[in-house]
């Protein structure tokens, strides 16, 4: 057998020294070269079919799992599909970080929830290009596969979710547009995919382990309306519109059927309604999700039965922790037909073919290597994303700090000088992790450093206050770096409260009594900021989630006014009492007599709402003229798209004047409100957005914001996408600074008929 690492001669030995080097099939002079799978003139479907046809049953069964064993007899190497790149190439079972260069570090961007706060799709695509380029460089040199399990496009509907920061926020439109931009960046725009992206977790997966209920045994009860307009909308973007290479089915059940055995989700909706068929794609399970079908959901009696039903109903690859699916048992008991096995393998190999796995030296992306990893341009982009995403939540004029020469800063808190805290979850090894203290020292400021508590809820055994006060007394300004760091526990644990930790509140109270300028820089997920917003001794609050490798320099540039913040909250900031008003397991979005509703669309009493964000300057945004009346029938008659909801609505023009004294970006958020359509709820929903860059003091800027029929339409109780007649109110910004109305006339038009679920399972 002849196997070849796709690498330069100087790197082959380095790759082979690793415990699990990747080997691409040798379509040059190896055994497999005579197989039609190596014939690039054939369509991917025929190439994949030839690969499957060459395998015997034993070999087929061994390649239905993410740690595929290959087939040495025919020159097919083993392959591990589990690679991660949530916000940069990350640690995973299929991906190796050597201890020495060149492939020992990858660019680490902020967590997705902060990337989303920039509200700039072009920026997200650029981030995707960097991540996809570095990921392909890893693969080309034997350190990873070509299939990457990112992005996470579940909506962040509850602030307690431990993995919410992995997502682009709570709004389905924002998550959808993020998904489209990220997939374009990751997979590229050539005939060959740069890497294979994976949209996860399909579907209704948005908590981990809470109050005795686990994602492994939870049944998400979704109405068709909530399903179509919220929980599945980002996945529609992934499948129907972006044609992403891979999906991951989730642990939980949806309406009584485990996601990985759910033919309605994987078949009726994904492959049929969204036409995710002839695009070289496959479905992988989440790890242990197949075992959950029998062991936790009790949908069938045995793991062999559960394994068979998952493959029969559309799953193509089982992610195993050791042996959490029973493929041999399913085959030996006659439960798993060979034609189903062949279908799964064909889909898997078609997807790998789409990324050049069998193309040898002819691969379009073969040239990517170490010189394309963490380039100066990538480093600059990592810094820009911190600057663009960070949100100013409170400011009495203290920020930006006008620091005199020789000014002294007290930098207090658990992450002020701890580089391990700024990277976030699902990460790799960054080339560096620059803290705020490091950045301040590089800028020439004198710094007095003191740590602080993280999650302690009481003040016993206080080892931090005295040192923090001593540092603050010796300084002109106090910068407090607090919040929460749950990134290590996010995969398995959810929160039970959203208060600021009591020990941190006590420390802030003590610091505020010194009557010095006090700026809070908040790490992690949202907390109830009410006590900080009310405290006169706390002058300013910046939220920066987990800001990545250049978190420190980004924050210090914003604090000192070298740059101006313009990010907006991509999630609602709820009062602490919210956790007592609704269980995390409640999936219904709309308020009832017993529950308060979810997200900014349905919850009215936010501490700080979705879309909120302050500036260092004064903006005056207005709408340009827009038609006062539009005929639904004329709109639809002029739409030739295969999916009418994607047709362009008349564009919105926003004009923004900077009446202040500082150059700044401005994020234009456009909401739609009204009472038409599905009764009885009035609504307000994000309809489109755009980021206007570098508007100088005294200058004006104009942006034309695109939106679609689908962005204006609503979903009825059956999940159908409908353009309703009525008077619409268009609102600009949060809080609203400009409005206008227009009327849609004529009869309601259904743009998309949502498929009905089976009457029986």
């Amino acid at each position: 057998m002849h196997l070849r690492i796709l690498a330069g001669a100087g790197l082959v030995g380095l790759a082979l020294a690793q415990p699990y080097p990747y080997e691409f099939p040798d379509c040059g002079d190896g055994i497999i070269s005579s197989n039609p799978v190596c014939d690039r003139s054939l369509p991917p479907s025929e190439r994949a079919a030839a690969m499957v046809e060459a395998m015997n049953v034993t070999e087929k069964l061994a390649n239905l799992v993410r740690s595929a064993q290959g087939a040495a007899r025919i020159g097919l190497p083993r392959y591990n599909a589990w690679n991660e790149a949530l916000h940069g190439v990350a640690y995973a079972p299929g991906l190796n970080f050597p201890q020495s260069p060149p492939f020992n570090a990858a660019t680490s961007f902020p967590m997705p929830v902060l990337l989303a706060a920039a509200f700039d799709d072009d920026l997200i695509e650029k981030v995707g290009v960097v991540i996809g380029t570095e990921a392909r460089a890893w693969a080309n040199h034997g350190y990873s596969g070509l299939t990457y399990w990112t992005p996470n496009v579940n909506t962040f509907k509850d602030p307690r979710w431990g993995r919410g920061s992995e997502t682009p926020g709570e709004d389905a439109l924002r998550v959808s547009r993020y998904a489209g931009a990220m997939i374009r960046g990751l997979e590229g725009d050539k005939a060959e995919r740069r890497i294979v992206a994976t949209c996860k977790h399909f579907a209704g997966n948005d908590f981990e382990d809470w109050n005795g209920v686990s994602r492994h045994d939870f049944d998400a009860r979704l109405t068709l309306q909530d399903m179509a307009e919220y929980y599945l909308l980002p996945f529609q973007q992934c499948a129907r519109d972006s044609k992403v290479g891979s999906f991951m089915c989730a642990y939980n059940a949806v309406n009584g059927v485990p996601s990985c055995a759910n033919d309605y989700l994987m078949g009726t909706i994904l492959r049929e309604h969204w036409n995710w068929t002839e695009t070289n794609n496959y479905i992988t399970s989440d790890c242990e999700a197949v075992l959950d079908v029998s062991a936790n959901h009790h949908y069938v009696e045995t793991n062999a039965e559960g394994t068979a039903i998952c493959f029969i109903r559309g799953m193509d690859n089982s992610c195993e922790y050791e042996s959490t699916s029973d493929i041999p048992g399913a085959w030996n008991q006659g439960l798993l037909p060979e034609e189903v096995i062949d279908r799964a393998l064909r889909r898997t190999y078609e997807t790998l073919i789409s990324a050049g796995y069998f193309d040898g030296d002819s691969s379009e992306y073969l040239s990517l290597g170490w010189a394309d990893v963490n380039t100066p341009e990538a480093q600059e982009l990592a810094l820009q994303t911190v600057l663009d995403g960070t949100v100013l939540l409170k400011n009495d004029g203290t920020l930006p700090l006008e620091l005199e020469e020789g000014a002294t800063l007290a930098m207090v808190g658990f992450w002020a000088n701890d580089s391990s805290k700024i990277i976030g979850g699902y990460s790799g090894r960054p080339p560096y992790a620059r803290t705020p203290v490091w950045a301040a020292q590089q800028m020439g400021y004198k710094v007095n450093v003191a740590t602080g508590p993280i999650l302690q809820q009481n003040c016993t055994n206080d080892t931090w206050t005295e040192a923090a006060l001593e540092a603050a007394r010796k300084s002109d300004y106090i910068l407090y770096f607090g919040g929460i760091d749950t990134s290590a526990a996010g995969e398995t644990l959810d929160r039970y409260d959203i208060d600021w930790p009591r020990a941190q509140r006590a420390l802030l109270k003590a610091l505020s009594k010194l009557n010095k300028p006090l700026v809070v820089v908040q790490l992690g997920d949202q907390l109830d900021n009410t006590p900080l917003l009310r405290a006169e001794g706390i002058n300013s609050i910046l939220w920066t989630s987990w800001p990545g490798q250049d978190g420190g320099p980004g924050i210090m540039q914003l604090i000192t006014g070298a740059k101006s913040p313009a990010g907006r909250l991509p999630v609602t900031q709820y009062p602490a009492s919210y956790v007592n008003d609704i269980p995390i397991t409640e999936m219904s979005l709309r308020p009832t007599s017993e529950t308060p509703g979810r997200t900014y669309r349905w919850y009215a009493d936010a501490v700080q709402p979705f879309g909120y964000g302050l500036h260092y300057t004064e903006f005056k945004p207005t709408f340009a003229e827009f038609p006062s009346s539009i005929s639904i029938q004329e709109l639809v008659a002029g739409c030739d798209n295969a999916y009418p909801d994607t047709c362009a609505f008349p564009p919105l023009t926003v004009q923004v004047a900077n009446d202040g004294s500082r150059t700044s970006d401005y994020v234009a958020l456009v909401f739609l409100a009204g009472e038409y359509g599905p009764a009885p709820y009035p609504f307000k929903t994000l309809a489109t957005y755009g980021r206007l860059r570098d508007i100088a003091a005294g200058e004006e800027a104009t942006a034309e914001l695109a939106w679609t029929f689908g962005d204006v339409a609503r979903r009825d109780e059956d999940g159908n996408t409908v353009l309703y007649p009525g008077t619409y109110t268009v609102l600009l910004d949060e809080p609203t600074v400009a409005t206008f109305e227009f009327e849609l006339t004529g009869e309601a038009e259904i743009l998309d008929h949502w498929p009905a679920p089976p009457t029986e399972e």
Side-chain angles (χ1 to χ4, degrees):
M1 178 179 62
H2 300 280
L3 297 173
R4 179 168 49 87
I5 300 291
L6 292 185
L11 294 175
V12 173
L14 183 62
L16 290 173
Q18 305 310 318
Y20 193 77
Y22 272 83
E23 299 164 326
F24 282 30
D26 189 347
C27 280
D29 58 359
I31 297 173
I32 203 173
S33 62
S34 61
N35 190 296
V37 73
C38 293
D39 186 351
R40 299 183 76 225
S41 69
L42 296 175
S45 58
E46 292 185 23
R47 297 176 67 187
M51 187 73 260
V52 176
E53 186 178 356
M55 302 167 74
N56 60 41
V57 168
T58 301
E59 292 164 341
K60 291 177 182 179
L61 297 178
N63 286 281
L64 289 172
V65 292
R66 58 98 178 166
S67 52
Q69 294 306 297
R73 180 183 63 85
I74 56 175
L76 181 68
R78 58 183 175 169
Y79 182 83
N80 196 321
W82 188 352
N83 305 276
E84 299 283 359
L86 178 68
H87 56 117
V89 175
Y91 293 111
L95 190 145
N96 186 31
F97 274 81
Q99 293 303 311
S100 57
F103 289 98
N104 66 329
T107 307
S108 181
F109 293 95
M111 288 292 279
V113 74
L114 193 74
L115 293 174
F119 284 90
D120 186 333
D121 297 340
D122 290 339
L123 179 74
I124 301 306
E125 184 172 352
K126 290 176 183 177
V127 170
V129 169
V130 170
I131 295 173
T133 296
E134 296 189 5
R136 185 56 185 253
W138 243 258
N140 283 348
H141 290 264
Y143 295 112
S144 78
L146 295 168
T147 47
Y148 278 79
W149 292 356
T150 191
N152 183 340
V153 298
N154 295 120
T155 41
F156 191 4
K157 77 170 184 358
D158 192 292
R160 291 164 285 188
W161 185 22
R163 294 180 69 178
S165 61
E166 295 181 27
T167 80
E170 71 180 37
D171 180 74
L173 173 66
R174 179 70 193 102
V175 178
S176 297
R177 285 176 54 170
Y178 178 103
M182 183 59 75
I183 292 166
R184 286 194 302 272
L186 292 171
E187 294 197 341
D189 58 2
K190 298 182 180 180
E192 179 183 314
R193 288 184 169 110
R194 186 182 287 115
I195 61 170
V196 177
T198 303
C199 285
K200 62 183 185 183
H201 313 78
F202 190 58
N205 180 179
D206 54 12
F207 82 97
E208 303 302 295
D209 189 343
W210 181 85
N211 207 29
V213 182
S214 163
R215 59 186 179 171
H216 292 281
D217 55 25
F218 179 61
D219 181 17
R221 310 302 297 192
L222 307 181
T223 67
L224 293 179
Q225 188 175 43
D226 285 349
M227 183 184 294
E229 76 176 349
Y230 189 71
Y231 291 105
L232 267 59
L233 189 63
F235 291 101
Q236 175 177 285
Q237 171 67 51
C238 290
R240 191 193 72 178
D241 302 327
S242 296
K243 302 298 184 185
V244 72
S246 176
F247 260 56
M248 176 184 285
C249 53
Y251 293 116
N252 57 279
V254 173
N255 295 338
V257 184
S259 294
C260 291
N262 198 313
D263 184 55
Y264 177 61
L265 288 179
M266 295 188 294
T268 303
I269 295 175
L270 176 57
R271 292 204 175 273
E272 296 173 16
H273 187 61
W274 292 339
N275 195 31
W276 195 65
T277 51
E278 303 302 324
T279 53
N280 309 319
N281 53 57
Y282 78 107
I283 301 172
T284 180
S285 76
D286 207 337
C287 299
E288 296 183 308
V290 174
L291 178 61
D292 288 339
V293 173
S294 58
N296 291 308
H297 295 298
H298 307 293
Y299 187 69
V300 293
E301 291 187 3
T302 69
N303 194 12
E305 291 176 286
T307 300
I309 202 169
C310 287
F311 280 102
I312 289 169
R313 291 184 176 177
M315 185 193 78
D316 303 306
N317 192 275
S318 173
C319 175
E320 299 183 317
Y321 284 132
E322 300 302 327
S323 59
T324 57
S325 60
D326 188 3
I327 292 172
W331 170 257
N332 292 332
Q333 295 172 42
L335 302 173
L336 184 58
E338 189 167 5
E339 58 265 28
V340 171
I341 295 171
D342 290 353
R343 181 188 67 185
L345 290 171
R346 285 197 304 270
R347 288 172 175 170
T348 300
Y349 289 125
E350 276 189 55
T351 308
L352 287 172
I353 287 167
S354 76
Y357 186 60
F358 291 95
D359 288 351
D361 293 338
S362 299
S363 169
E364 292 187 67
Y365 291 106
L366 182 67
S367 63
L368 296 178
W370 67 268
D372 300 291
V373 176
N374 199 235
T375 63
E377 293 78 14
Q379 295 175 7
E380 182 179 346
L381 187 63
L383 174 60
Q384 182 186 343
T385 54
V386 184
L387 298 170
D388 290 355
T390 298
V391 184
L392 181 62
L393 297 177
K394 178 182 181 180
N395 195 27
D396 63 1
T398 297
L399 288 180
L401 297 183
E402 302 288 351
L403 298 178
E404 307 84 2
E405 185 176 351
T408 303
L409 306 177
M411 303 186 76
V412 177
F414 71 89
W415 67 280
N417 200 31
D418 187 343
S419 60
S420 70
K421 301 300 184 186
I422 63 175
I423 299 300
Y426 271 86
S427 301
R429 182 189 299 133
Y432 49 78
R434 293 167 172 165
T435 66
V437 167
W438 181 92
Q441 291 171 337
Q442 293 297 307
M443 296 168 79
Y445 300 118
K446 181 178 179 181
V447 176
N448 295 311
V449 183
T451 190
I454 304 178
L455 294 176
Q456 294 95 329
Q457 293 300 301
N458 58 61
C459 299
T460 59
N461 302 317
D462 183 342
T463 60
W464 52 81
T465 299
E466 183 177 347
L469 290 174
E470 181 181 356
R473 291 189 184 103
K474 296 188 296 184
S475 305
D476 303 307
Y477 303 90
I478 307 171
L479 307 181
Y480 180 77
F481 297 87
I484 57 170
D485 180 24
T486 56
S487 57
E491 177 71 27
T492 56
L493 297 176
D494 299 302
R495 289 190 284 164
Y496 287 88
D497 64 76
I498 53 175
D499 292 294
W500 270 81
R502 186 179 305 172
Q504 291 195 42
R505 297 200 309 268
L507 179 55
L508 280 168
K509 184 176 181 180
L511 292 170
S512 68
K513 291 181 178 179
L514 298 179
N515 295 318
K516 295 185 177 184
L518 174 55
V519 175
V520 173
V521 188
Q522 181 184 343
L523 184 89
D525 289 325
Q526 288 298 300
L527 299 168
D528 180 356
N529 277 343
T530 299
L532 280 65
L533 295 169
R534 290 176 177 171
E536 293 183 3
I538 295 176
N539 305 100
S540 308
I541 305 172
L542 283 163
W543 172 69
T544 192
S545 180
W546 286 270
Q549 67 183 41
D550 259 320
I555 289 300
M556 288 308 301
Q557 287 186 32
L558 292 170
I559 286 175
T560 60
K563 298 291 183 179
S564 298
R568 304 298 188 95
L569 283 180
V571 290
T572 297
Q573 186 184 123
Y574 294 91
S577 60
Y578 185 79
V579 301
N580 302 317
D581 295 336
I582 187 169
I584 198 172
T585 51
E586 174 58 59
M587 302 299 287
S588 178
L589 302 170
R590 289 156 174 78
T592 67
S593 59
E594 298 177 349
T595 58
R598 292 194 177 281
T599 81
Y600 75 96
R601 292 189 63 182
W602 310 112
Y603 183 77
D605 299 317
V607 175
Q608 293 185 303
F610 171 92
Y612 185 83
L614 302 174
H615 304 91
Y616 287 164
T617 190
E618 296 293 328
F619 285 115
K620 185 178 180 181
T622 57
F623 287 115
E625 187 175 348
F626 190 83
S628 60
S629 180
I630 301 172
S631 165
I632 292 175
Q633 276 63 52
E634 289 181 7
L635 274 178
V636 174
C639 172
D640 295 326
N641 292 5
Y643 303 104
D645 58 286
T646 65
C647 281
F649 207 71
L652 283 167
T653 300
V654 175
Q655 299 167 329
V656 182
N658 185 347
D659 291 345
S661 58
R662 288 184 176 272
T663 297
S664 177
D665 292 359
Y666 176 80
V667 171
L669 300 178
V670 177
F671 297 88
L672 206 58
E675 297 188 8
Y676 58 85
Y681 300 106
F683 74 97
K684 174 184 175 182
T685 184
L686 185 66
T688 186
Y689 57 83
R691 189 177 183 109
L692 290 77
R693 290 196 170 272
D694 296 324
I695 308 174
E699 299 293 328
E700 294 185 357
T702 301
E704 189 175 272
L705 305 181
W707 52 346
T708 67
F709 292 6
D711 298 332
V712 178
R714 298 190 70 199
R715 274 69 177 176
D716 66 16
E717 291 183 353
D718 294 325
N720 301 317
T721 304
V722 186
L723 264 182
Y724 289 100
T727 300
Y728 293 67
T729 302
V730 184
L731 308 94
L732 181 59
D733 213 338
E734 176 58 64
T736 301
V737 296
T739 67
F740 72 87
E741 292 184 346
F742 70 91
E743 184 181 10
L744 276 183
T745 63
E747 300 297 322
E749 287 273 0
I750 297 179
L751 305 176
D752 180 68
H753 290 267
W754 191 254
T759 54
E760 293 183 3
E761 187 57 55

